[in-house]
Amino acid sequence: MIELKKTSKTYKVNGKAVEAVKDVSLTINKGEVFGVIGYSGAGKSTLIRCINLLEKPTSGEVIIDGKNLSKLSKQELQKTRRKIGMIFQGYNLLKTATVYDNIAIPLKLEGVNKKLIQKRVEKYLSIVGLLDKQNHYPSQLSGGQKQRVAIARALAHEPEILLSDEATSALDPETTEAILSLLLKINKELGLTIFLITHELNVVQRICDRIAVMENGYVVEQGTVVSLFTNPKHPTTKRFVESENTFTIPSEIMASYRSTGKLVSLHFVGKELSEEPALALVSRKFNVLPSILAGGIEQLKNHTLGKLLVHLRGEKEEYEQAITYLTNQGVIVEEVN
Ligand code: ADP
């Protein structure tokens, strides 16, 4: 488990204080995939670097499995750090070493014996699907393959926590999806806790259990992926969610829909997608005719999230009853104004 307690980091730049992280408290459970999302300059990189003490917090605590990192001796800190692997946007591979050596060299420096090194390199290269590339050099690999090598290198130390610093930001959408699937596989099969930072909504949406939104050094909102996607509260969270999930309706059409009923956006989470046909039943139970104007489905880590933009044609009293009914059926209803 990772606990951040009122963690702050202030840099001194030309005598001026830059408060990169302010008073951040988070708890990341064992086996969880936790994402921090925010725009550039929000403080994400500084925060993730505080977790393995690459940056020493100015105040507050970083506690890993009950151990307060700033209170550990150098030796103990080194031991705890071994539990934490890290991958980066830029892969950080040695250009002059083969794939095999990129993974083997850090193990050798740690004093792991040759036989075990070979076993680990082969095991983790096969997990990331690159066993056949062990004699290649990084320049002979695609971006996605380089990131797979970096993941295998991190896993070869058999860490309990994997920190991911914008690991998919330099990759095209298809390769991003493949790397995210790989991270999910590692999380599920090896039980690894993953803490990631990103500015991309699709990353947190696809693989995280919970998210924190950062702005200006602060965590401004945190919660499960489903709750933040269906009910974002802070303006920054709303901006992120709306950047991907909103249907734009031309104003003339909007006016005509408004005069004949109510426009609503509906979220269906997980099982509700396939059980009671709540929306179809609306027209039987109430004097309301629903028309679906737009829709989509997102695959989250543990749920499917469906979103529909629906016009409920009917009188106010009727559509209000329909909205209450839908809400009681577990559909998340948001009125569109
Ligand atoms: P993000 O990862 O969200 O883009 P960063 O943590 O990189 O945010 O940066 C947060 C703030 O801290 C920015 O204002 C940045 O300029 C500043 N900052 C980051 N690293 C340093 C550093 N080593 N020295 C001085 N200021 C820094």
Side-chain angles (χ1 to χ4, degrees):
M1 190 162 86
I2 308 169
E3 289 170 273
L4 298 174
K5 289 189 179 168
K6 291 184 171 294
T7 305
S8 298
K9 175 72 190 179
T10 304
Y11 295 106
K12 280 269 179 331
V13 183
N14 299 330
K16 263 179 104 179
V18 178
E19 294 181 87
V21 170
K22 299 175 199 166
D23 229 8
V24 169
S25 296
L26 295 174
T27 301
I28 294 102
N29 302 315
K30 205 171 164 55
E32 193 171 33
V33 183
F34 193 98
V36 173
I37 188 166
Y39 295 107
S40 179
K44 308 179 295 294
S45 309
T46 307
L47 184 70
I48 200 170
R49 292 161 65 85
C50 283
I51 292 181
N52 54 6
L53 242 57
L54 280 177
E55 292 290 356
K56 204 170 180 323
T58 315
S59 63
E61 295 172 6
V62 179
I63 299 168
I64 310 266
D65 288 341
K67 288 187 183 143
N68 186 339
L69 293 199
S70 58
K71 300 225 163 90
L72 296 182
S73 68
K74 218 172 160 186
Q75 236 175 2
E76 286 174 316
L77 180 62
Q78 227 170 16
K79 210 170 133 197
T80 303
R81 269 199 183 135
R82 282 204 200 113
K83 291 188 188 172
I84 309 174
M86 191 160 184
I87 53 173
F88 306 86
Q89 179 176 351
Y91 324 122
N92 294 8
L93 299 179
L94 296 169
K95 290 191 181 77
T96 52
T98 60
V99 165
Y100 186 98
D101 283 341
N102 260 285
I103 302 167
I105 291 168
L107 291 172
K108 208 168 163 183
L109 292 175
E110 229 174 62
V112 181
N113 72 55
K114 213 170 160 187
K115 225 171 158 187
L116 188 55
I117 290 179
Q118 186 184 353
K119 210 172 135 195
R120 294 239 194 119
V121 175
E122 286 172 0
K123 175 177 175 186
Y124 292 103
L125 272 180
S126 101
I127 285 181
V128 303
L130 282 183
L131 197 52
D132 58 332
K133 298 273 191 288
Q134 54 180 308
N135 296 318
H136 285 54
Y137 285 88
S139 62
Q140 298 169 306
L141 302 177
S142 69
Q145 289 171 331
K146 283 182 203 163
Q147 194 57 282
R148 284 172 189 273
V149 176
I151 291 170
R153 179 183 54 191
L155 294 181
H157 296 265
E158 312 210 309
E160 290 169 21
I161 297 167
L162 183 68
L163 304 179
S164 166
D165 182 349
E166 298 275 9
T168 55
S169 296
L171 304 174
D172 61 66
E174 221 168 279
T175 315
T176 294
E177 173 56 31
I179 294 292
L180 294 180
S181 300
L182 175 61
L183 291 176
L184 264 188
K185 176 175 136 175
I186 290 165
N187 165 250
K188 286 184 180 156
E189 290 178 10
L190 306 177
L192 215 70
T193 308
I194 300 180
F195 182 92
L196 63 89
I197 62 165
T198 181
H199 64 279
E200 296 174 310
L201 192 74
N202 66 317
V203 171
V204 290
Q205 170 180 300
R206 182 75 185 87
I207 69 167
C208 290
D209 295 290
R210 289 189 300 133
I211 322 175
V213 182
M214 264 189 106
E215 187 182 67
N216 196 22
Y218 291 108
V219 164
V220 293
E221 187 166 1
Q222 58 170 308
T224 63
V225 175
V226 171
S227 70
L228 262 64
F229 270 77
T230 56
N231 189 16
K233 297 219 161 58
H234 190 274
T236 306
T237 319
K238 284 187 181 161
R239 245 175 96 195
F240 269 113
V241 173
E242 284 169 6
S243 68
E244 269 207 6
N245 265 342
T246 304
F247 307 113
T248 319
I249 312 147
S251 55
E252 315 85 79
I253 301 179
M254 191 72 187
S256 112
Y257 279 134
R258 257 200 217 118
S259 61
T260 53
K262 188 80 191 162
L263 267 180
V264 286
S265 109
L266 307 179
H267 278 104
F268 299 79
V269 182
K271 61 185 174 64
E272 286 83 8
L273 273 179
S274 55
E275 283 185 355
E276 277 279 275
L279 187 59
L281 287 176
V282 156
S283 61
R284 284 206 199 150
K285 292 183 186 281
F286 311 97
N287 196 10
V288 164
L289 287 175
S291 327
I292 297 170
L293 308 178
I297 294 185
E298 305 281 359
Q299 186 57 54
L300 310 184
K301 184 186 177 198
N302 300 313
H303 301 279
T304 314
L305 181 67
K307 184 172 179 178
L308 291 179
L309 180 67
V310 172
H311 181 239
L312 299 173
R313 180 186 291 269
E315 296 299 325
K316 187 166 188 274
E317 201 175 294
E318 294 287 334
Y319 70 63
E320 278 181 350
Q321 283 182 31
I323 289 173
T324 307
Y325 167 76
L326 286 169
T327 307
N328 290 340
Q329 293 298 306
V331 181
I332 299 160
V333 186
E334 196 185 329
E335 301 189 8
V336 179
N337 295 308

